[in-house]
Amino acid sequence: MGTHWQHDVLVLGSGAAGLTAALSLPSTLRVAVLTKGDLEQGSTYWAQGGMAAVLHDRDSIASHVEDTLQAGGGLCHRDVVEYTVANSRACVDWLVAQGVHFDRRGADQGQEFHLTMEGGHSHRRIIHAADQTGRAIGDVLGERVHAAGNIEVFTDRIAVDLVVRDGHCHGAYILDLASEHVDLFQAPAVILATGGASKAYLYTSNPDGASGDGIAMAWRAGCRVGNLEFNQFHPTCLYHPRAKSFLVSEALRGEGAVLRLPDGERFMPRFDERAELAPRDVVARAIDHEMKRLGVDCVYLDISHKPREFLEAHFPTIMARCLEFGIDIAAEPIPVVPAAHYTCGGIVVNRSGRSDVAGLYAIGECSFTGLHGANRMASNSLLECIVFARAAAADIAATRSSTPVAPALPPWDESQVTDSDEDVVISHNWDELRRFMWDYVGIVRTNKRLERALHRAELLQAEIAEYYSNYKISNDLLELRNLAMVAELMIRCARSRRESRGLHYTLDYPALLPEPRDTILTP
């Protein structure tokens, strides 16, 4: 029998968005933070490059806004971009106040921040902590959460579904992976900070938990989703049979790394005047084109012309990781391939992170704020996490008095299910899903590929629904159920967009439509 927990706010997810929201709520509120593993398992810890922010007078809010709008292919919501960028300095100040140490120029830590350049940016505005910015932020916020007297952390938990009564979200059913029981976590405000859905693809830079759980649960609860056809493929993931999901940061290209073919030829200038610093969709398509044209498994990222001391100072993690696989980046190029990296669309929310369901908020990668448009600009994601987490926390604090009386909710009923002896079905379906998404809904798409993908997604979901109804739930089954649903939503969004814009590139509609429009799906 599961346990009934009661809190004021329930936060699902422990990345930068979830932890920032928890820490930004009034200390008088009892907050529960739930995570699939421990606090270090979200995508935040894998964010190498840094966070975009306007931090000196050589840059401007207007410039950052225009760069974001240009990268977003005409689909960014200008008011949201302006709001996010205008709050960037305050977010950096808040992180520094929490204890995050960002790199500064020179040995004197009192000097200004060291800023790097990344694709799509017209200025150096990426604040970072060497090449482990996400870890630096995650470690500090994790320590602060553990020290907070009003925040309770629950590890090894995965959400099953949200609990909605009379149009208001009152909590969620949560599987405790240790006891294998489903608990009821009740709260008048629920924040989804569950990350993206890049595990829908065979090759991804994301950790295993990026299975679209929040997006799927919100859809089932009655929320709209938007722009899920825009899946960002990071151009440069390490290509090695033993290297699982290791990203080679865009910051290398910002510091002069160039992309080469196996014969050593540099190819990006043929595709875009910005060469290696073009937006990610341009670079990923160029690499995909060259790999298919030549029939090669990878291309090469070369920064060997930089001094070894420079690389050791700026990219210690990447250097050490590559050395584990026998690659000395100071002496030879790095084999790389594109990989699914970021889900630009998600749960439709307003500027306070509010979804269509009262009491339910979505922040970070699982949300669709309008910031990223058709292509997220590098390092705007961590910024979005902090800005909207703080906004959601402020909205919850301001509207606390108007929340409805908590209803009596039933415990989870598992009396009609049995243990399964056919878990091979889950692993088979998981593999099939990720392969057809990679082949049919990848960097370059066609109508026929999308039709095939939709047919397979519908068949898979029917199988999963039958399995879900009859057997005890598990982490793998819940992730597969959510990922299959989000995959179908991605395909449906892609089929409805009859143009090529940003990250959505289709051979059947290579041109842009004159008027940019979001793709919104309603349950």
Side-chain angles (χ1 to χ4, degrees):
M1 189 72 173
T3 305
H4 187 164
W5 299 89
Q6 184 77 49
H7 295 84
D8 296 313
V9 183
L10 174 62
V11 180
L12 302 181
S14 63
L19 297 184
T20 298
L23 290 168
S24 301
L25 288 161
S27 59
T28 53
L29 298 183
R30 291 170 298 122
V31 181
V33 174
L34 276 62
T35 177
K36 283 185 182 179
D38 53 34
L39 291 187
E40 292 80 33
Q41 290 201 346
S43 290
T44 292
Y45 275 76
W46 295 74
Q48 297 170 353
M51 186 174 98
V54 178
L55 295 170
H56 59 63
D57 56 12
R58 297 184 296 278
D59 196 3
S60 68
I61 289 173
S63 175
H64 189 171
V65 167
E66 289 306 316
D67 290 347
T68 300
L69 294 174
Q70 184 172 351
L75 272 185
C76 299
H77 298 187
R78 178 180 278 274
D79 62 327
V80 174
V81 177
E82 290 173 345
Y83 168 75
T84 306
V85 174
N87 279 281
S88 63
R89 178 78 212 207
C91 289
V92 170
D93 290 343
W94 182 82
L95 287 169
V96 171
Q98 301 307 304
V100 179
H101 295 290
F102 294 108
D103 286 6
R104 295 180 184 265
R105 289 185 176 276
D108 180 2
Q109 288 297 297
Q111 294 185 19
E112 67 180 31
F113 295 114
H114 180 271
L115 304 175
T116 61
M117 175 78 102
E118 291 187 354
H121 293 273
S122 57
H123 291 79
R124 284 182 172 265
R125 63 167 69 101
I126 315 303
I127 189 171
H128 63 102
D131 59 351
Q132 287 191 311
T133 310
R135 177 171 291 276
I137 291 172
D139 283 345
V140 168
L141 297 187
E143 289 171 8
R144 298 281 293 187
V145 160
H146 280 304
N150 67 313
I151 302 173
E152 200 171 356
V153 177
F154 296 83
T155 58
D156 299 313
R157 303 299 211 282
I158 179 171
V160 181
D161 261 324
L162 299 166
V163 182
V164 178
R165 295 288 184 276
D166 300 321
H168 191 101
C169 185
H170 292 282
Y173 290 111
I174 307 290
L175 175 63
D176 182 336
L177 298 176
S179 71
E180 298 185 349
H181 288 301
V182 176
D183 298 334
L184 170 60
F185 277 76
Q186 193 163 351
V190 177
I191 300 176
L192 295 173
T194 50
S198 287
K199 275 290 172 180
Y201 290 95
L202 185 61
Y203 301 109
T204 174
S205 66
N206 284 198
D208 287 338
S211 47
D213 304 320
I215 298 170
M217 288 191 298
W219 174 260
R220 290 194 293 266
C223 294
R224 291 171 300 156
V225 298
N227 285 9
L228 283 169
E229 69 270 40
F230 298 116
N231 302 291
Q232 187 174 78
F233 289 80
H234 196 287
T236 55
C237 272
L238 178 62
Y239 179 75
H240 191 280
R242 290 186 290 112
K244 182 181 178 183
S245 305
F246 185 71
L247 185 81
V248 180
S249 171
E250 188 161 335
L252 266 78
R253 284 178 280 135
E255 295 295 344
V258 297
L259 284 160
R260 301 187 186 280
L261 298 176
D263 65 1
E265 178 195 346
R266 186 182 178 195
F267 60 89
M268 274 309 303
R270 287 194 274 113
F271 290 88
D272 193 283
E273 63 183 13
R274 294 163 291 187
E276 282 78 10
L277 289 178
R280 289 176 177 175
D281 59 325
V282 176
V283 180
R285 271 201 305 277
I287 294 173
D288 184 68
H289 177 273
E290 291 300 291
M291 286 171 58
K292 287 175 178 171
R293 180 177 72 86
L294 297 172
V296 296
D297 294 326
C298 66
V299 295
Y300 294 86
L301 184 65
D302 189 4
I303 197 167
S304 61
H305 54 282
K306 287 284 189 180
R308 183 176 296 275
E309 300 75 32
F310 175 88
L311 299 177
E312 288 173 344
H314 288 270
F315 306 111
T317 309
I318 295 170
M319 199 163 192
R321 185 70 168 151
C322 287
L323 278 173
E324 289 177 20
F325 302 109
I327 303 162
D328 180 0
I329 71 172
E332 60 189 314
I334 309 164
V336 294
V337 290
H341 180 59
Y342 193 86
T343 308
C344 288
I347 306 156
V348 175
V349 296
N350 70 2
R351 206 184 288 183
S352 296
R354 286 194 196 186
S355 75
D356 294 330
V357 174
L360 180 64
Y361 296 76
I363 55 177
E365 193 175 350
C366 69
S367 70
F368 165 52
T369 63
L371 173 64
H372 304 306
N375 181 24
R376 175 182 70 92
M377 191 167 69
S379 292
N380 270 350
S381 50
L382 279 175
L383 176 60
E384 181 186 44
C385 286
I386 311 299
V387 169
F388 284 87
R390 283 158 56 88
D395 193 71
I396 290 170
T399 59
R400 170 107 178 105
S401 60
S402 62
T403 54
V405 176
L409 299 175
W412 180 259
D413 179 14
E414 57 180 33
S415 60
Q416 305 301 312
V417 298
T418 60
D419 287 315
S420 170
D421 59 356
E422 296 184 22
D423 283 355
V424 66
V425 174
I426 297 176
S427 60
H428 176 84
N429 286 354
W430 180 272
D431 186 60
E432 182 183 346
L433 171 70
R434 297 180 69 200
R435 284 185 181 278
F436 77 65
M437 285 295 289
W438 182 262
D439 290 339
Y440 299 150
V441 200
I443 296 172
V444 177
R445 300 161 178 177
T446 66
N447 285 345
K448 279 192 174 181
R449 290 175 192 172
L450 293 175
E451 286 170 16
R452 289 180 183 129
L454 182 61
H455 178 64
R456 281 160 175 76
E458 290 171 343
L459 287 175
L460 268 187
Q461 288 205 79
E463 282 186 22
I464 294 164
E466 190 271 335
Y467 195 97
Y468 181 82
S469 301
N470 292 294
Y471 298 112
K472 281 188 176 179
I473 57 176
S474 65
N475 181 82
D476 289 347
L477 176 57
L478 292 175
E479 288 189 336
L480 175 64
R481 177 185 183 229
N482 292 330
L483 206 55
M485 173 164 283
V486 177
E488 183 189 329
L489 297 175
M490 289 175 175
I491 298 162
R492 286 172 57 188
C493 283
R495 289 185 78 216
S496 68
R497 184 166 293 280
R498 304 200 164 207
E499 63 170 349
S500 289
R501 184 183 295 274
L503 299 165
H504 174 73
Y505 186 81
T506 169
L507 297 177
D508 291 300
Y509 307 104
L512 274 176
L513 289 175
E515 185 179 346
R517 290 187 178 177
D518 292 324
T519 305
I520 306 295
L521 300 182
T522 302

